Amino acid sequence: MAFPKKKLQGLVAATITPMTENGEINFSVIGQYVDYLVKEQGVKNIFVNGTTGEGLSLSVSERRQVAEEWVTKGKDKLDQVIIHVGALSLKESQELAQHAAEIGADGIAVIAPFFLKPWTKDILINFLKEVAAAAPALPFYYYHIPALTGVKIRAEELLDGILDKIPTFQGLKFSDTDLLDFGQCVDQNRQQQFAFLFGVDEQLLSALVMGATGAVGSTYNYLGKKTNQMLEAFEQKDFSLALNYQFCIQRFINFVVKLGFGVSQTKAIMTLVSGIPMGPPRLPLQKASREFTDSAEAKLKSLDFLSFTDLKDGNLEVGS
Amino acid sequence: MAFPKKKLQGLVAATITPMTENGEINFSVIGQYVDYLVKEQGVKNIFVNGTTGEGLSLSVSERRQVAEEWVTKGKDKLDQVIIHVGALSLKESQELAQHAAEIGADGIAVIAPFFLKPWTKDILINFLKEVAAAAPALPFYYYHIPALTGVKIRAEELLDGILDKIPTFQGLKFSDTDLLDFGQCVDQNRQQQFAFLFGVDEQLLSALVMGATGAVGSTYNYLGKKTNQMLEAFEQKDFSLALNYQFCIQRFINFVVKLGFGVSQTKAIMTLVSGIPMGPPRLPLQKASREFTDSAEAKLKSLDFLSFTDLKDGNLEVGS
Amino acid sequence: MAFPKKKLQGLVAATITPMTENGEINFSVIGQYVDYLVKEQGVKNIFVNGTTGEGLSLSVSERRQVAEEWVTKGKDKLDQVIIHVGALSLKESQELAQHAAEIGADGIAVIAPFFLKPWTKDILINFLKEVAAAAPALPFYYYHIPALTGVKIRAEELLDGILDKIPTFQGLKFSDTDLLDFGQCVDQNRQQQFAFLFGVDEQLLSALVMGATGAVGSTYNYLGKKTNQMLEAFEQKDFSLALNYQFCIQRFINFVVKLGFGVSQTKAIMTLVSGIPMGPPRLPLQKASREFTDSAEAKLKSLDFLSFTDLKDGNLEVGS
Amino acid sequence: MAFPKKKLQGLVAATITPMTENGEINFSVIGQYVDYLVKEQGVKNIFVNGTTGEGLSLSVSERRQVAEEWVTKGKDKLDQVIIHVGALSLKESQELAQHAAEIGADGIAVIAPFFLKPWTKDILINFLKEVAAAAPALPFYYYHIPALTGVKIRAEELLDGILDKIPTFQGLKFSDTDLLDFGQCVDQNRQQQFAFLFGVDEQLLSALVMGATGAVGSTYNYLGKKTNQMLEAFEQKDFSLALNYQFCIQRFINFVVKLGFGVSQTKAIMTLVSGIPMGPPRLPLQKASREFTDSAEAKLKSLDFLSFTDLKDGNLEVGS
């Protein structure tokens, strides 16, 4: 099978894993979630079981079920469904990669293992290669997120080895602010056949100018429309307009960052904005406080990031 | 069932998971390994599937098999078999805890989750409580290892909450050099019913004087005898002798630390000293280099930490 | 005296402090250095006694002499001479600020103290205020460089307090890759009267799109011309050309970063490119190795960043 | 002049620099401070202008005056007065070292520079050598404090080079909890002619058992007597008594650490306990809050660390 396959473009929403109040996965809302992303946010690609999806808080069998549900519900509606299959155990990563291929996902993504850590770039590349080999027909994306994994190897230093050893490589999710590293990844990508997806939503504009071909993030669940407007302005070289959109998005993110912002808060915000109940997170996370939700709601309103019909349902759920 | 149960005392070897050259678990040598620990090293307690055992590099089903094998082979030979059941997924941790109870292990230990991290001590305690509750008849040990998990909450700040919420709590494995934190844990343990096990082998003496009741570590696999001599000297208040033993052990550890010392190197050293083939580690680790093994062997000889019969076999295996 | 004064625009070279082979300051080449920056690099603003100038490795009296020499030699040639007066001791910072005013510098810049660290933003603002008050007629710039100072307070959180308490505030030197923080500083600067100078040379383009009004850095000593071409392309909205310049600059920086890149190496590179002997650094730094200099020279040639006449002298000096 | 000189033994108080309410140095109480240390705390050695003394917040001329005052007032009362002469500028360090010799101090101590950092142990040794050479007749102590300087080179790796290059070397102040590193320093000190002074007060007992010959710290200003009782118990091999003293001291330190404990708080506590007004710290520090002082006072009382006559004056001052 020839690579590269259809290139992953534009915004990719890092999906939340909806849960019931007692912490079980709420599969029932995933269909509605797909429609919301496509119709309300204009987002047609998703990244499943990543950080935002609490992928590593799920059991392997839960990860399989969640992946399968997204692929099924996304059929004929979404462009691409990428499954994050990273795990501390190579065997489990391989099992998840193989499963992603079986269910017809459009690609897999993998983070560096981060308990016992690869000491050299070659060891990391070997690890990634072993995972990719378990799904030889699926596009492979390396998910670079040093702040969470503590693996300090720069993405740019991996690229040659990855291209050499992983024929299914099709791009990077780059979740760091080191734009020398990111830029040099793009710079090496002469034929531009790969996807360089930026993962720091609050400064996406800074990566677009550096050659990013798309973005993966949690905020595209509820700020996808606004971010698409920024992408459009950027493509039309209207920089002051693009910057206005970026600043507007930053004002919201900056506000919640100061309150403490993570997956728990993302679930609360998405519930507010979409009206779809995302439920609480699972331990080791804890439901966002009512204070957070109220402050976030007020800020969303003040920035006109909410439609009030959505809001009411959202409110009811979050309050519950 | 009444707590505390039989107190965990003295040295606890953090067991290596033996593997074949192709990276599968080598169950066949575990019986021999048990006999070696008891007869050659005088170590009768083990800590299974921890960092040294590459516990988090194994699949859940492999972790179950490994735990079962140690319990079976240790029967009537070992005093206590503690199973580390920590995982990023609460559900998997609970499954492993329940399994440990089913196979008749003597206790479970759990680290703080470290991808998504508990933001407060209460959340961490709730997480630990949920794991402990899955094995209500088994002694529970909290494994404190901030350098690896990056969870900054001090052990001493957890203790009240743990005692309050986890009736099966029976002690700590404290793998850090903050002896204010460690000392205050011991100091709060008025009735001395709990085990405070120190996990930084190279400075065990500094924790003994601070009230440690035992130790868990990888070096007790091959330096258990020497360390037991240090414990004895300490109990007899012969501090200069105890310090001599500690310095002697430090010389070896300091030497290998400078060469780069981790689980891979521990496997090579144990193979050398015991003559039992531990095999290579699994990715993301890589087999220790021949240079390391040769240097370590020379150092072991110079410190008289080897018996030559063991050495020969060891050599053959490591070279292979 | 009314603020803001003449706004600091475009590139600002963080000047090297030239030294003799025995580590004394080589004042004799500063005039030549000024001419080189203006004529060869098109850089007319300088930042004196910062990190690149080994400002904190100099004694207070040396810092005074260096500042004075740059102001004198820059007269009628340079647009603005900014003196970095940050120090661990408030008193010394104040002495240097007052001196900067006396010699007719165009502004002062200050980093957060970083041995004993300010615990809150209010304490940091009070510290900065006390320094600024020692030079009430000089524009004040806050030099934000968390990676070097370890002071974690975000710049955006300081801005309100600084505007409130420091009437002479005229801008930031922002030496970090957190462009949410940087963007929100710019976003708050409604009337655009302040200078937001980016300090991470290798990714300047990413900050320009986020509203940077200029840049301060060490590479502008020898890559000022190339960087000015990038700025021009950016202003003309020719993004692909701007990105080409940025990638070209990144290739050089990325290359030297892998060799180990700091002030010592900057001195060697500037000597090579300008032909002006910058000399070795002072302890705790050590002269760049011959290997580094040779590799850097080859890379500069391959990127056509050198003119061969300059090169010859450079070579001779560096070899000496 | 022959080395080693008289060995530095027992407790060394890291002196506070007393200040007036307006932040000027209060020389007037230093004589009283000396008498208090000797008579009330049984401490006859001091470490001047270190972290506790806000040494790096003082100007060079202030550091000279403070050093001179302590030497003068300590004459015939103190055993040894060690002056910390570390600075970011080698020249200033050398000036202070020479001055320490001129005023008849008993030794100098130096930290690693930490803005521009030595990249290798050889560079660090060269830096230290240059400082030591400025006071060729004074005992030289290396002050190892990686957490504050961020210089990661282990002390044990420096020792050979230091012994080789610094004839005046007479010991280490080791302010870290890595007791492998500390132990191996002691272990290398075969003839035991050097002082290995531990700098983490709250766990001194753990270093005594590892061969520490003394201790330097801020708490010996007000807990010197209690700590001396611990030293005595340790020498008499009464470990349970020594541990009781250590735990008692830890309870206090653990309590204040949770409230936020630094130089500001040390000044407030010393004022409370000694009745000598230490005054506020200088920016970038800020006076301890009244809440802190009240809580600390209550804790000191509950642990019987206060005599009430002292307390009253203390209260008045701190409240002022």
Side-chain angles (χ1 to χ4, degrees):
Chain A
M1 190 173 273
F3 274 88
K5 294 227 186 136
K6 187 182 59 169
K7 193 166 165 185
L8 185 54
Q9 305 271 24
L11 296 186
V12 182
T15 56
I16 292 161
T17 301
M19 294 183 184
T20 62
E21 285 302 318
N22 56 37
E24 293 306 310
I25 298 168
N26 181 3
F27 293 99
S28 69
V29 300
I30 288 181
Q32 185 185 356
Y33 192 160
V34 167
D35 294 333
Y36 177 83
L37 288 177
V38 174
K39 294 178 191 151
E40 301 298 323
Q41 298 293 345
V43 172
K44 301 193 72 178
N45 302 296
I46 60 173
F47 185 90
V48 175
N49 287 335
T51 308
T52 304
E54 297 171 84
L56 292 162
S57 299
L58 307 178
S59 70
V60 167
S61 69
E62 287 177 318
R63 288 175 73 168
R64 295 166 60 111
Q65 297 169 60
V66 170
E68 201 152 351
E69 187 67 12
W70 281 104
V71 168
T72 308
K73 291 297 192 298
K75 198 156 186 350
D76 305 328
K77 293 177 172 176
L78 297 171
D79 286 345
Q80 296 202 35
V81 177
I82 309 301
I83 309 297
H84 175 250
V85 301
L88 296 176
S89 162
L90 175 59
K91 277 185 185 284
E92 291 183 342
S93 237
Q94 290 172 317
E95 176 190 336
L96 290 165
Q98 197 172 346
H99 175 260
E102 289 160 8
I103 61 175
D106 301 290
I108 55 172
V110 181
I111 47 172
F114 51 91
F115 184 71
L116 299 174
K117 291 172 186 172
W119 282 14
T120 67
K121 66 179 188 174
D122 291 338
I123 301 175
L124 177 50
I125 291 165
N126 285 336
F127 183 93
L128 298 174
K129 189 192 77 187
E130 293 297 322
V131 179
L138 277 192
F140 176 90
Y141 300 88
Y142 166 54
Y143 180 1
H144 184 69
I145 182 165
L148 264 172
T149 61
V151 175
K152 300 283 175 233
I153 303 165
R154 296 170 66 232
E156 175 273 326
E157 294 176 18
L158 292 170
L159 215 50
D160 279 347
I162 286 177
L163 293 176
D164 189 43
K165 294 191 162 182
I166 305 179
T168 52
F169 175 75
Q170 206 153 331
L172 277 183
K173 177 188 175 185
F174 190 93
S175 294
D176 193 52
T177 62
D178 178 349
L179 293 170
L180 169 64
D181 190 12
F182 183 72
Q184 285 304 287
C185 289
V186 175
D187 189 24
Q188 286 178 39
N189 177 31
R190 298 277 174 278
Q191 297 73 26
Q192 308 189 359
Q193 73 268 47
F194 300 125
F196 289 102
L197 308 165
F198 196 58
V200 187
D201 307 13
E202 56 269 32
Q203 62 174 80
L204 174 55
L205 186 58
S206 66
L208 289 177
V209 74
M210 207 63 91
T213 62
V216 183
S218 64
T219 65
Y220 310 131
N221 283 293
Y222 51 91
L223 297 179
K225 198 170 178 179
K226 272 260 177 313
T227 308
N228 275 319
Q229 291 168 317
M230 181 178 83
L231 295 180
E232 211 170 288
F234 183 80
E235 267 151 42
Q236 289 161 9
K237 299 197 171 186
D238 185 342
F239 294 104
S240 68
L241 180 60
L243 187 54
N244 282 342
Y245 282 119
Q246 181 70 97
F247 281 163
C248 184
I249 290 163
Q250 284 192 340
R251 282 171 214 156
F252 178 70
I253 297 177
N254 198 46
F255 177 82
V256 290
V257 161
K258 290 180 187 177
L259 300 177
F261 184 56
V263 172
S264 311
Q265 290 72 28
T266 294
K267 286 186 129 169
I269 293 166
M270 181 59 170
T271 303
L272 271 172
V273 179
S274 70
I276 305 168
M278 294 295 142
R282 179 176 288 181
L283 281 165
L285 298 182
Q286 172 176 274
K287 190 170 184 172
S289 68
R290 183 64 197 248
E291 294 63 37
F292 173 86
T293 311
D294 292 346
S295 307
E297 182 181 334
K299 191 71 176 177
L300 287 162
K301 275 184 189 166
S302 76
L303 292 165
D304 191 27
F305 283 178
L306 277 182
S307 83
F308 290 80
T309 49
D310 292 349
L311 183 58
K312 220 180 84 291
D313 322 333
N315 252 343
L316 293 172
E317 189 279 337
V318 172
S320 69
Chain B
M1 188 174 277
F3 273 88
K5 294 228 186 136
K6 186 182 59 168
K7 192 166 164 185
L8 185 53
Q9 304 272 23
L11 296 186
V12 182
T15 56
I16 293 160
T17 301
M19 294 181 183
T20 62
E21 286 301 317
N22 56 36
E24 293 307 310
I25 297 168
N26 182 2
F27 293 99
S28 70
V29 299
I30 288 179
Q32 185 185 356
Y33 192 160
V34 168
D35 294 334
Y36 176 82
L37 288 176
V38 174
K39 295 179 187 148
E40 302 299 322
Q41 298 293 347
V43 172
K44 302 194 71 179
N45 302 297
I46 60 173
F47 185 90
V48 174
N49 288 335
T51 309
T52 304
E54 298 171 84
L56 291 162
S57 299
L58 307 178
S59 70
V60 168
S61 69
E62 287 177 318
R63 289 175 73 167
R64 295 166 59 112
Q65 295 170 61
V66 169
E68 200 152 353
E69 187 67 13
W70 281 104
V71 168
T72 307
K73 291 298 192 300
K75 199 158 186 346
D76 305 327
K77 293 177 173 178
L78 296 171
D79 286 346
Q80 296 202 35
V81 177
I82 309 301
I83 310 296
H84 175 250
V85 301
L88 297 176
S89 162
L90 175 59
K91 277 185 184 283
E92 291 183 344
S93 240
Q94 290 172 317
E95 176 190 336
L96 291 165
Q98 196 174 346
H99 175 260
E102 289 160 9
I103 61 176
D106 301 291
I108 56 171
V110 181
I111 48 173
F114 52 90
F115 183 70
L116 299 175
K117 291 172 186 172
W119 282 14
T120 68
K121 66 179 187 172
D122 290 338
I123 300 175
L124 176 50
I125 291 165
N126 285 337
F127 183 93
L128 299 174
K129 189 192 77 185
E130 293 298 323
V131 179
L138 277 192
F140 176 90
Y141 299 89
Y142 166 54
Y143 180 1
H144 184 68
I145 183 166
L148 265 172
T149 60
V151 175
K152 300 284 176 232
I153 302 165
R154 297 170 67 233
E156 176 272 326
E157 294 176 16
L158 292 170
L159 216 49
D160 279 347
I162 287 177
L163 292 176
D164 189 43
K165 294 192 162 181
I166 306 179
T168 53
F169 175 74
Q170 207 155 331
L172 276 182
K173 177 189 175 184
F174 190 93
S175 294
D176 192 54
T177 63
D178 178 349
L179 293 169
L180 169 63
D181 190 12
F182 183 73
Q184 284 306 285
C185 289
V186 174
D187 189 23
Q188 286 178 39
N189 176 31
R190 299 276 174 280
Q191 297 72 26
Q192 308 189 0
Q193 73 268 46
F194 299 126
F196 289 101
L197 308 164
F198 195 59
V200 187
D201 307 15
E202 57 268 32
Q203 61 175 80
L204 174 55
L205 186 58
S206 66
L208 289 177
V209 75
M210 207 64 89
T213 62
V216 182
S218 66
T219 65
Y220 310 131
N221 283 293
Y222 52 91
L223 296 179
K225 199 171 178 177
K226 273 260 179 310
T227 308
N228 275 318
Q229 291 169 318
M230 182 178 82
L231 296 180
E232 211 170 288
F234 182 80
E235 268 151 41
Q236 289 161 10
K237 299 197 171 185
D238 185 342
F239 295 105
S240 69
L241 180 60
L243 187 54
N244 281 341
Y245 281 118
Q246 181 69 97
F247 281 163
C248 184
I249 289 164
Q250 284 192 341
R251 282 171 214 156
F252 178 69
I253 297 177
N254 198 45
F255 177 82
V256 290
V257 161
K258 290 181 188 175
L259 300 177
F261 183 56
V263 172
S264 309
Q265 290 72 25
T266 294
K267 286 186 129 170
I269 293 166
M270 181 59 171
T271 303
L272 272 171
V273 178
S274 70
I276 305 169
M278 294 296 142
R282 179 176 288 180
L283 282 164
L285 298 182
Q286 170 175 279
K287 191 171 185 172
S289 69
R290 183 62 195 252
E291 295 62 39
F292 173 86
T293 312
D294 293 346
S295 308
E297 182 182 334
K299 191 69 176 179
L300 287 162
K301 275 184 188 167
S302 76
L303 292 166
D304 192 26
F305 283 178
L306 277 181
S307 84
F308 291 79
T309 49
D310 292 349
L311 183 58
K312 220 180 84 294
D313 321 333
N315 251 343
L316 294 171
E317 189 281 336
V318 172
S320 67
Chain C
M1 187 175 277
F3 274 87
K5 295 225 186 140
K6 186 182 57 169
K7 192 165 165 186
L8 185 54
Q9 305 271 24
L11 296 185
V12 181
T15 56
I16 293 159
T17 300
M19 293 181 184
T20 62
E21 285 301 319
N22 55 37
E24 293 306 310
I25 297 168
N26 182 2
F27 293 99
S28 70
V29 300
I30 288 179
Q32 185 185 356
Y33 192 160
V34 169
D35 295 333
Y36 176 83
L37 288 176
V38 174
K39 294 179 189 148
E40 301 298 324
Q41 298 293 345
V43 173
K44 302 194 72 179
N45 302 296
I46 60 173
F47 185 89
V48 175
N49 288 334
T51 309
T52 303
E54 298 172 84
L56 292 162
S57 298
L58 307 178
S59 69
V60 167
S61 69
E62 287 177 318
R63 288 175 74 167
R64 296 165 59 112
Q65 296 169 59
V66 170
E68 201 154 350
E69 187 67 14
W70 281 105
V71 168
T72 308
K73 292 297 192 299
K75 199 157 185 348
D76 306 326
K77 293 177 173 178
L78 297 172
D79 286 346
Q80 296 202 36
V81 177
I82 309 301
I83 310 297
H84 175 249
V85 300
L88 296 176
S89 161
L90 175 59
K91 278 185 184 283
E92 291 184 343
S93 238
Q94 290 171 318
E95 176 190 334
L96 290 165
Q98 196 174 347
H99 175 260
E102 288 160 8
I103 61 176
D106 301 290
I108 56 170
V110 181
I111 48 172
F114 52 90
F115 184 70
L116 299 175
K117 291 172 186 172
W119 281 13
T120 67
K121 65 179 189 175
D122 291 338
I123 300 176
L124 176 50
I125 291 165
N126 285 336
F127 183 94
L128 298 174
K129 189 192 77 185
E130 293 297 324
V131 179
L138 277 191
F140 176 89
Y141 299 89
Y142 167 54
Y143 180 1
H144 183 68
I145 182 166
L148 265 172
T149 61
V151 176
K152 300 282 175 233
I153 304 165
R154 297 170 66 233
E156 175 272 326
E157 295 176 18
L158 293 169
L159 215 50
D160 279 346
I162 286 176
L163 293 176
D164 189 45
K165 293 192 163 183
I166 306 179
T168 54
F169 174 75
Q170 205 153 333
L172 278 182
K173 177 189 175 185
F174 190 93
S175 294
D176 193 52
T177 63
D178 178 349
L179 293 170
L180 169 63
D181 190 13
F182 183 73
Q184 284 305 287
C185 289
V186 174
D187 189 24
Q188 286 178 38
N189 176 31
R190 299 277 173 278
Q191 297 73 24
Q192 306 190 2
Q193 74 269 46
F194 300 126
F196 289 101
L197 309 164
F198 196 58
V200 187
D201 308 13
E202 56 269 33
Q203 62 176 78
L204 174 55
L205 186 58
S206 66
L208 290 177
V209 75
M210 207 65 88
T213 62
V216 182
S218 65
T219 65
Y220 310 132
N221 283 293
Y222 52 90
L223 297 179
K225 198 172 179 176
K226 273 259 177 316
T227 308
N228 275 319
Q229 291 168 318
M230 182 178 81
L231 296 180
E232 210 170 291
F234 182 80
E235 268 151 43
Q236 288 160 10
K237 299 197 172 187
D238 185 344
F239 295 104
S240 69
L241 180 60
L243 187 53
N244 281 342
Y245 281 119
Q246 181 68 98
F247 281 163
C248 184
I249 289 163
Q250 284 192 340
R251 281 172 214 155
F252 178 70
I253 297 177
N254 198 45
F255 177 83
V256 291
V257 160
K258 290 181 186 175
L259 300 176
F261 184 56
V263 172
S264 310
Q265 290 70 28
T266 294
K267 286 185 129 170
I269 293 165
M270 181 60 170
T271 303
L272 271 172
V273 178
S274 70
I276 305 168
M278 294 296 142
R282 180 176 288 181
L283 281 165
L285 298 182
Q286 173 175 274
K287 191 172 185 170
S289 69
R290 182 63 196 250
E291 295 62 38
F292 173 87
T293 311
D294 292 346
S295 308
E297 182 182 333
K299 191 70 177 178
L300 287 162
K301 274 184 190 167
S302 75
L303 292 166
D304 192 26
F305 284 177
L306 276 181
S307 83
F308 291 80
T309 49
D310 292 349
L311 183 59
K312 219 181 86 291
D313 322 334
N315 251 343
L316 294 172
E317 188 281 335
V318 171
S320 67
Chain D
M1 189 172 276
F3 273 88
K5 295 228 184 134
K6 185 182 59 169
K7 192 166 164 185
L8 185 53
Q9 305 272 22
L11 297 186
V12 182
T15 56
I16 292 160
T17 300
M19 293 182 184
T20 61
E21 285 301 318
N22 56 37
E24 293 307 310
I25 298 167
N26 181 3
F27 294 100
S28 70
V29 300
I30 289 180
Q32 185 184 357
Y33 192 160
V34 168
D35 294 333
Y36 177 82
L37 288 176
V38 174
K39 294 178 190 152
E40 302 298 323
Q41 298 293 347
V43 173
K44 302 194 71 179
N45 302 296
I46 60 173
F47 185 89
V48 175
N49 287 335
T51 309
T52 305
E54 298 172 86
L56 292 161
S57 299
L58 307 178
S59 70
V60 168
S61 69
E62 287 177 318
R63 288 175 73 169
R64 294 166 59 111
Q65 297 170 60
V66 169
E68 202 153 350
E69 188 67 12
W70 280 103
V71 168
T72 308
K73 290 297 191 300
K75 198 156 186 347
D76 306 327
K77 292 178 172 177
L78 297 171
D79 286 346
Q80 297 201 34
V81 177
I82 309 302
I83 309 297
H84 175 249
V85 301
L88 296 176
S89 162
L90 176 58
K91 278 186 185 280
E92 291 183 344
S93 240
Q94 290 172 318
E95 176 189 336
L96 291 165
Q98 197 174 345
H99 175 259
E102 288 161 9
I103 61 176
D106 301 291
I108 55 171
V110 182
I111 47 171
F114 51 92
F115 183 71
L116 298 174
K117 290 173 186 171
W119 282 13
T120 68
K121 66 179 188 174
D122 291 338
I123 301 175
L124 176 51
I125 291 164
N126 286 336
F127 183 93
L128 299 174
K129 191 192 77 186
E130 294 297 324
V131 179
L138 276 192
F140 176 89
Y141 299 89
Y142 166 54
Y143 180 1
H144 183 67
I145 183 166
L148 265 171
T149 61
V151 176
K152 300 282 174 232
I153 303 165
R154 296 171 66 232
E156 176 272 326
E157 294 175 17
L158 293 169
L159 215 50
D160 280 347
I162 286 176
L163 293 175
D164 189 43
K165 294 193 161 180
I166 305 179
T168 53
F169 175 75
Q170 206 153 331
L172 278 182
K173 177 188 175 184
F174 190 93
S175 294
D176 192 54
T177 62
D178 178 350
L179 293 170
L180 169 63
D181 190 12
F182 183 73
Q184 286 304 286
C185 290
V186 174
D187 189 24
Q188 286 178 38
N189 176 31
R190 298 277 173 280
Q191 296 72 27
Q192 308 189 359
Q193 73 268 47
F194 300 125
F196 289 102
L197 309 165
F198 196 58
V200 187
D201 307 15
E202 56 269 32
Q203 62 175 78
L204 175 55
L205 186 57
S206 67
L208 290 176
V209 75
M210 208 63 89
T213 62
V216 182
S218 65
T219 64
Y220 310 131
N221 283 294
Y222 52 91
L223 297 178
K225 198 172 181 177
K226 272 260 175 313
T227 308
N228 275 319
Q229 291 169 317
M230 181 177 82
L231 295 181
E232 211 170 287
F234 182 80
E235 268 150 41
Q236 289 162 10
K237 298 197 172 187
D238 186 342
F239 295 104
S240 68
L241 180 61
L243 187 54
N244 282 341
Y245 282 118
Q246 181 70 96
F247 281 163
C248 184
I249 289 164
Q250 284 192 340
R251 283 172 213 155
F252 178 70
I253 297 177
N254 198 45
F255 177 83
V256 289
V257 160
K258 291 181 188 175
L259 300 177
F261 183 56
V263 172
S264 309
Q265 290 72 25
T266 294
K267 287 186 128 171
I269 294 165
M270 181 59 170
T271 303
L272 271 172
V273 178
S274 70
I276 305 168
M278 295 295 142
R282 179 177 288 180
L283 282 165
L285 298 183
Q286 171 175 277
K287 192 171 184 170
S289 68
R290 183 63 196 249
E291 295 62 38
F292 173 86
T293 310
D294 292 346
S295 307
E297 183 181 334
K299 191 70 177 178
L300 287 162
K301 275 183 188 167
S302 76
L303 292 165
D304 192 27
F305 283 178
L306 277 181
S307 83
F308 291 80
T309 50
D310 292 348
L311 184 57
K312 222 181 82 294
D313 320 334
N315 251 345
L316 293 172
E317 189 280 337
V318 172
S320 67

